Amino acid sequence: MIGFHPRQPTGQQKQSHRGKWDKIIMQVRLKNVVRLTLPYVPFLNPMFRPLLVLPICLGLGHAVAAPGALDFQRDVRPILSNHCFQCHGPDEEAREADLRLDKRESAVPTVIVPGKPDTSELVKRIFTDNEDDVMPPLSAKKPITEAQKEVLKRWIAEGAVYTKHWAFTKPERPQVPAIKDTAARIFNPIDAFIAARLDKEGLKQSPPADAHALARRVALDLTGLLPTPAELAAFVQNPSPQAYEAYVDQLLKSPHYGERWARRWLDLARYADTNGYEKDRERSIWPYRDWVIAALNADMPFDQFTIEQLAGDMLPNATPQQIVATGFHRNTMLNEEGGIDPLEFRYHAMTDRVATTGATWLGLTTGCAQCHTHKFDPITHTEYYGMMAFLNNTDEPDFDLPNADKEAARQANLKRAAALTTDLTAKQRVPEKAAFQSWLAEQRTKAVTWMPLRPATVKTNLPLLTVQDDGSLLGSGDITKSDRYDLTFPLSGQGITALRLEALPHESLPAHGPGMCYYEGPKGDFFMGEFQVFADGQPVKIANASESYSKNNFGKSPVSAKAATDGDPQTGWSCAGRYGERHEAVFVFAKPVTAKTLTITMLFGRHYACPLGHFRISTTSVAKGISARDMDASLAELLVLPEAKLSPFQRDQLFTHYLLTSKKFAKESQAIKDLRKPTETTTTLVMRERPAVNPRLTYRHHRGEYTQPKEAVQPVTLAILHPFPKDAPRNRLGFARWLVSPENPLTPRVIANRQWAAFFGRGLTKTLEDFGYQGAPPSHPELLDFLASNFVRQGWSLKKLHKLIVMSATYQQSSTVPADATARDPENIYLSHSPRVRLDAELVRDSVLRSSGLLSPQMGGASVYPPQPDSVTEVAYGKFKWTPSIGANRYRRSLYTFSKRTAPFAMFTTFDGPTGEACLAKRETSNTPLQALTSLNDIIVTEAAQAMGKQFAVGPPDDAKRIDDLYVRVLCRAP
């Protein structure tokens, strides 16, 4: 086995280092471990590179089939998959000679004659010396070794039996093997399976780890934190035989358990606090992170854990927290660059969601089928888009989290504002009577009666506009860079002189509207580039236009309602900065219009996708004094009433408005406005199923290209797995339930294997992300099936699975390597001793803070900004400013550190932490000098060392005692 630790050089590095030699460590394992340091020349002509490793590889050969009858899954399929399936596998487009070797009915008797290898064309082709006939062809550069050829020949001689791939058969609870070795420690069924394999391999268990090492190990594994000296002493000094189990139960009940395991789940969820791509702006998604922590601490059954994340919004009477859970698939990156097609990048987000779902729950490389039928696994091109269809029919709103404390504060503010308003009105009723009458008379001269229009037809290029009871139109669905609304209204009145366009807020819109913008520009924004009116098909000239408020989101160029009538879509009307409010624009015709039909065309766009989301059209026949006003519509309607018909309450409404808009009472008015301001709410990104009237169709995309949609596809699951229930709805909820069905052969295995890897550093199946034909077979298949079936039987409880693992004698072994294990099992696959697994990046930092006493116990809430070098974020787009948190937030657990995709936290990157850009089933581990430098020089490490130094400077004068205490704090043992 040869391992190249350093990453391959990039193109720039190749150019700058051309002709230079890089040295790397090549580890070669023969009968004993040999470490060779050899020069590596990455820029040599590829034809010479094999010469470099040839001396090392000579004599190593390839794995030879085990004695006895061949096993198709273990011995044969890997050869066919690696060398043959690319051209003779599931992918119809890439298939040669219409031959499939992944299916027996195609291979037999076409090229395979069971029992007769010498007459089988397959054998002839792989053994021939004819370069034109040999298979695989030389151009494939995948030659089959002599040993592999003999395996295939022997398999055909034995009858060429095909069996179903192990991962695609439902795991059945296997019989626990009986162990004859009375010296073996068998604490639970895990140990029986491990001991049986150790015996087969001629290996023995290692003795138990000492109490100090075990206490540290299990605390880090279950909670991600070192035990405190008091916790350590309580366990080590407890003479009870149940001391360890009690200690484990204590750790499982710790709220830090959820934090530890949430971090691993967030790797799969590609969690980050920013959108990614160029602009990489901040997003509010941390409530989803907190939901994961709470769900894991509550030991929510994994099937429910899955359903709520994929379709929590579709559950009956969904709770706010179930809606928050759907943030799992809102963790996809969001491109906000000005020149992009938003629908194209939504498509890319969907491909990410399909690939993430496949990796997280199925352990399959489903993403390979985006462009064509999978070349190795039985996943068709159409099935890929059928899975996408389950996830595609969603809208992606922001969700306002209910908060009882904030709501109580808001109600208290409104009550206080009402009291101040009443007090102001009472005090000024007499002194301001004359001034109010004068104001009222002036306002009446501007009063206009508006008649709302209800559209007869509504046409758009893509967004759905739904007519509401009050005649307004509410937008939903997808938006584009250039949206167009065409509205037709029947007219019954004569001599229409003007139109009023009300831009209205609505709770369903981003930032409550009135616009539908949710990326590129500010949420809730809109930009109307053109407003055109036609009477019976003829254009209507607009003489003047006014607006109640306008502001440009981009630059200082003016925006106005008038600009929306100039024929230039680059200029228009926008209300940037005042989202969640009502605004209006009034368009006055050059002459009154009399027609049967009025048509209005509205064009939206400019720099970003930003149509109006909620609006209403009204008309008037008033001859003069028509203009927009920054006044609530209900108040404006009072101004057209004769004064004698105003009720005392209505008169008070107008009087109050007068006082609050008068410069004379600006101070009192501002105080009342401040109290009336909506309380800042916490939002998070969620999923919402689209209404039945506006479903989103899913298409198969040829070669995976966004620009090549073909036929529409229906939601379908993978035919190789269990069938989709006939009575289940074909939507996200039905799909989520299908994923965690007890009949699913993959999900229980994938999850159980991932948990095993978290404790032992290596899964029972090494390829955590690939259970398909190209994945590694399990080292202990019976144990994997036992864990998977037991996981389902015990109610999908992760805590029970974790306890089963840590209570095993296998887990409690010493990490000292037995003398014979290195030669027999250099990778410790059979677990003759406890593996030494390096801590995750976040746990390295948390251990430093914990041992120094600086770690803050606070849980949840918005992400924080621990100190790091300024240079980390200075090159990010927009000169992102990383302002270090102060107080306890400076020392929060690493899980809560703000995660910026384009500039990840430096310390985590150094220790192989994820960026959140893609689903990550397994973190790679590297060893670099920078890690050592970081552990010596990082700001947090320095502050932790200073804090610990101050604590021990005032401790007992006995140096030996202080050294003992330091070792216990840091390493959980005596020196």
Side-chain angles (χ1 to χ4, degrees):
M1 176 179 178
I2 302 174
F4 295 82
H5 260 312
R7 296 175 178 172
Q8 292 296 321
T10 65
Q12 288 181 336
Q13 290 170 330
K14 288 181 180 179
Q15 185 67 30
S16 62
H17 293 88
R18 186 171 299 278
K20 295 184 179 179
W21 290 64
D22 286 348
K23 288 188 176 182
I24 65 168
I25 300 299
M26 303 174 66
Q27 296 184 26
V28 184
R29 291 190 175 99
L30 302 175
K31 289 186 178 180
N32 49 23
V33 174
V34 180
R35 294 177 183 262
L36 302 178
T37 303
L38 297 178
Y40 173 53
V41 191
F43 315 122
L44 285 176
N45 187 304
M47 66 179 290
F48 296 116
R49 289 185 191 172
L51 299 178
L52 183 65
V53 296
L54 182 61
I56 303 171
C57 295
L58 286 176
L60 293 183
H62 293 268
V64 180
L70 290 171
D71 180 275
F72 177 74
Q73 298 296 335
R74 181 192 65 212
D75 304 316
V76 179
R77 190 190 292 278
I79 300 174
L80 296 177
S81 180
N82 288 334
H83 300 278
C84 308
F85 284 0
Q86 185 166 347
C87 298
H88 301 294
D91 188 357
E92 185 176 359
E93 292 186 14
R95 194 177 303 142
E96 298 287 345
D98 197 28
L99 172 65
R100 293 187 65 168
L101 292 178
D102 61 318
K103 286 193 171 184
R104 194 175 196 272
E105 56 268 28
S106 175
V108 176
T110 310
V111 295
I112 295 176
V113 182
K116 299 180 180 180
D118 293 335
T119 60
S120 296
E121 186 67 18
L122 175 65
V123 174
K124 294 178 182 179
R125 289 298 190 96
I126 64 175
F127 277 94
T128 184
D129 293 328
N130 188 331
E131 293 185 359
D132 294 331
D133 294 336
V134 68
M135 287 293 162
L138 297 180
S139 60
K141 298 181 180 180
K142 286 189 174 183
I144 300 181
T145 67
E146 293 301 319
Q148 291 171 329
K149 293 176 183 179
E150 292 298 334
V151 168
L152 293 177
K153 184 175 181 179
R154 179 179 155 198
W155 168 64
I156 294 174
E158 292 178 358
V161 175
Y162 277 75
T163 57
K164 193 173 183 179
H165 184 52
W166 65 269
F168 298 150
T169 60
K170 181 182 176 182
E172 300 293 341
R173 185 180 175 91
Q175 184 175 353
V176 179
I179 305 301
K180 297 180 181 179
D181 184 2
T182 56
R185 298 185 308 282
I186 309 299
F187 293 169
N188 62 35
I190 288 176
D191 300 322
F193 288 106
I194 295 295
R197 188 58 189 269
L198 286 173
D199 183 63
K200 183 178 179 180
E201 300 297 329
L203 295 167
K204 297 287 186 182
Q205 288 178 329
S206 289
D210 70 79
H212 289 84
L214 188 58
R216 181 181 187 274
R217 178 191 303 169
V218 73
L220 284 168
D221 278 344
L222 290 180
T223 68
L225 295 177
L226 295 169
T228 64
E231 292 168 342
L232 183 66
F235 166 65
V236 172
Q237 297 170 13
N238 188 345
S240 170
Q242 286 75 43
Y244 178 66
E245 183 173 10
Y247 182 57
V248 167
D249 288 339
Q250 174 187 337
L251 294 172
L252 289 170
K253 292 177 182 177
S254 167
H256 301 304
Y257 169 89
E259 293 177 317
R260 156 65 172 158
W261 292 95
R263 181 57 265 179
R264 286 191 167 269
W265 183 259
L266 294 179
D267 281 9
L268 295 163
R270 59 266 192 255
Y271 174 86
D273 293 300
T274 59
N275 291 330
Y277 292 111
E278 178 207 26
K279 290 183 173 59
D280 198 26
R281 291 193 178 104
E282 295 182 37
R283 60 169 52 167
S284 177
I285 190 69
W286 61 262
Y288 164 75
R289 175 246 290 152
D290 287 359
W291 178 89
V292 174
I293 296 170
L296 291 170
N297 274 332
D299 198 22
M300 178 184 288
F302 185 80
D303 56 347
Q304 186 68 17
F305 184 70
T306 295
I307 290 168
E308 292 195 11
Q309 290 184 83
L310 293 180
D313 60 304
M314 302 180 71
L315 293 171
N317 302 313
T319 67
Q321 285 303 303
Q322 288 173 329
I323 295 173
V324 169
T326 63
F328 177 86
H329 270 322
R330 290 301 309 277
N331 280 307
T332 47
M333 295 199 295
L334 181 65
N335 195 337
E336 301 172 283
E337 295 177 47
I340 60 104
D341 179 347
L343 295 182
E344 178 183 4
F345 279 88
R346 189 190 180 280
Y347 167 75
H348 293 321
M350 289 308 307
T351 60
D352 168 72
R353 287 168 186 168
V354 176
T356 296
T357 301
T360 301
W361 283 278
L362 299 176
L364 295 177
T365 54
T366 54
C368 293
Q370 175 186 339
C371 303
H372 46 70
T373 291
H374 205 296
K375 292 186 181 299
F376 303 103
D377 292 334
I379 306 173
T380 70
H381 190 39
T382 300
E383 284 177 339
Y384 173 90
Y385 289 98
M387 288 179 61
M388 180 184 288
F390 281 110
L391 304 172
N392 197 26
N393 192 39
T394 58
D395 288 328
E396 303 179 355
D398 288 7
F399 179 65
D400 293 334
L401 280 139
N403 185 303
D405 293 337
K406 288 185 177 180
E407 180 60 22
R410 188 179 79 88
Q411 293 300 329
N413 285 344
L414 291 177
K415 187 175 181 180
R416 175 64 178 157
L420 290 178
T421 303
T422 301
D423 185 55
L424 177 63
T425 303
K427 288 182 178 179
Q428 302 301 329
R429 191 179 303 277
V430 175
E432 291 297 315
K433 183 177 180 180
F436 169 61
Q437 286 298 126
S438 176
W439 173 86
L440 189 58
E442 180 186 357
Q443 295 299 316
R444 286 185 181 282
T445 64
K446 304 176 185 178
V448 176
T449 299
W450 293 101
M451 299 297 295
L453 293 180
R454 190 176 187 87
T457 62
V458 178
K459 293 182 181 180
T460 71
N461 60 308
L462 190 60
L464 175 68
L465 292 179
T466 306
V467 181
Q468 307 297 294
D469 292 340
D470 61 358
S472 64
L473 292 101
L474 180 62
S476 63
D478 295 326
I479 59 177
T480 73
K481 297 282 283 190
S482 299
D483 286 316
R484 174 175 175 147
Y485 297 170
D486 290 298
L487 314 173
T488 302
F489 303 90
L491 293 183
S492 57
Q494 303 296 315
I496 294 175
T497 57
L499 291 177
R500 181 180 68 179
L501 169 62
E502 294 177 87
L504 304 168
H506 196 276
E507 61 181 8
S508 69
L509 299 174
H512 298 171
M516 293 177 69
C517 181
Y518 65 94
Y519 54 87
E520 296 186 272
K523 292 180 179 180
D525 200 8
F526 73 91
F527 186 90
M528 185 175 69
E530 283 296 300
F531 185 87
Q532 301 168 345
V533 183
F534 303 87
D536 291 339
Q538 298 301 312
V540 176
K541 184 178 181 181
I542 297 175
N544 192 21
S546 59
E547 70 284 334
S548 59
Y549 169 77
S550 64
K551 185 178 180 181
N552 190 4
N553 181 53
F554 288 97
K556 298 181 180 180
S557 57
V559 293
S560 65
K562 181 68 174 176
T565 67
D566 62 3
D568 181 1
Q570 295 297 310
T571 62
W573 181 45
S574 180
C575 296
R578 285 177 56 178
Y579 309 118
E581 298 181 30
R582 174 193 176 275
H583 309 287
E584 68 175 47
V586 170
F587 303 89
V588 181
F589 301 154
K591 61 181 180 179
V593 170
T594 299
K596 294 181 178 180
T597 302
L598 197 70
T599 302
I600 296 176
T601 295
M602 304 162 70
L603 302 180
F604 303 94
R606 194 186 184 190
H607 301 291
Y608 52 99
C610 50
L612 262 173
H614 190 209
F615 61 96
R616 180 169 49 218
I617 301 290
S618 303
T619 65
T620 186
S621 297
V622 173
K624 58 181 180 178
I626 310 171
S627 63
R629 34 179 49 198
D630 196 0
M631 178 186 292
D632 188 88
S634 61
L635 282 177
E637 291 172 0
L638 297 182
L639 294 174
V640 300
L641 294 176
E643 188 170 357
K645 291 189 175 182
L646 288 175
S647 67
F649 175 73
Q650 291 171 331
R651 190 176 181 84
D652 275 350
Q653 282 184 293
L654 290 170
F655 183 57
T656 299
H657 179 76
Y658 157 73
L659 293 174
L660 296 181
T661 55
S662 172
K663 293 182 179 179
K664 190 175 181 179
F665 304 104
K667 183 178 179 181
E668 293 85 345
S669 175
Q670 188 59 51
I672 292 170
K673 286 180 180 178
D674 290 342
L675 288 170
R676 287 177 175 175
K677 284 182 180 178
T679 305
E680 185 176 346
T681 59
T682 298
T683 64
T684 191
L685 308 179
V686 299
M687 308 281 273
R688 180 176 62 204
E689 194 72 357
R690 289 167 70 104
V693 296
N694 189 30
R696 181 187 287 115
L697 295 179
T698 300
Y699 299 90
R700 181 183 66 82
H701 288 255
H702 180 62
R703 305 301 299 168
E705 291 287 348
Y706 164 71
T707 57
Q708 297 192 56
K710 299 301 181 182
E711 73 279 2
V713 297
Q714 297 300 312
V716 295
T717 50
L718 304 184
I720 193 66
L721 300 179
H722 57 299
F724 193 85
K726 293 182 179 179
D727 57 345
R730 288 190 174 268
N731 55 26
R732 274 186 296 125
L733 183 57
F735 179 61
R737 288 171 173 160
W738 175 83
L739 281 173
V740 289
S741 165
E743 301 303 312
N744 189 340
L746 285 173
T747 300
R749 280 193 180 104
V750 169
I751 303 306
N753 187 62
R754 197 175 289 141
Q755 309 313 303
W756 185 272
F759 289 100
F760 294 101
R762 185 186 194 278
L764 294 169
T765 293
K766 185 177 181 180
T767 49
L768 304 186
E769 73 290 349
D770 191 357
F771 275 53
Y773 294 163
Q774 291 288 97
S779 59
H780 301 73
E782 295 83 6
L783 174 55
L784 179 57
D785 281 4
F786 171 82
L787 293 174
S789 57
N790 198 58
F791 181 43
V792 176
R793 287 182 60 186
Q794 292 197 323
W796 299 85
S797 168
L798 285 172
K799 283 191 175 182
K800 289 180 180 178
L801 177 58
H802 292 166
K803 182 174 181 179
L804 180 71
I805 292 173
V806 300
M807 290 302 297
S808 68
T810 303
Y811 177 82
Q812 298 176 51
Q813 292 181 104
S814 167
S815 60
T816 302
V817 183
D820 59 344
T822 301
R824 291 177 178 271
D825 183 20
E827 293 185 53
N828 195 27
I829 294 172
Y830 307 118
L831 294 172
S832 60
H833 57 280
S834 179
R836 295 181 176 181
V837 183
R838 197 183 70 191
L839 300 182
D840 291 339
E842 297 84 354
L843 270 62
V844 171
R845 177 177 176 274
D846 291 346
S847 295
V848 169
L849 292 175
R850 175 82 158 186
S851 60
S852 68
L854 289 179
L855 185 67
S856 168
Q858 181 181 344
M859 295 181 62
S863 297
V864 296
Y865 302 81
Q868 66 172 338
D870 294 336
S871 58
V872 174
T873 58
E874 67 181 9
V875 295
Y877 178 90
K879 297 181 180 179
F880 180 79
K881 182 66 175 176
W882 184 281
T883 303
S885 300
I886 60 175
N889 282 341
R890 190 179 183 90
Y891 307 114
R892 293 283 303 280
R893 192 159 182 185
S894 299
L895 174 71
Y896 303 113
T897 297
F898 186 87
S899 175
K900 184 171 179 63
R901 284 183 162 116
T902 56
F905 191 66
M907 185 178 187
F908 300 161
T909 302
T910 301
F911 286 94
D912 310 303
T915 64
E917 293 173 290
C919 174
L920 189 65
K922 179 184 178 181
R923 294 190 187 186
E924 298 299 328
T925 302
S926 66
N927 295 293
T928 68
L930 189 59
Q931 293 166 353
L933 291 171
T934 297
S935 65
L936 290 171
N937 299 317
D938 188 84
I939 301 172
I940 285 295
V941 177
T942 302
E943 292 183 3
Q946 291 170 340
M948 184 174 282
K950 291 177 181 177
Q951 295 170 40
F952 281 86
V954 296
D958 185 351
D959 287 346
K961 178 65 168 62
R962 284 194 284 187
I963 291 174
D964 284 349
D965 290 345
L966 276 167
Y967 263 77
V968 170
R969 288 269 291 272
V970 178
L971 299 176
C972 300
R973 63 174 174 82

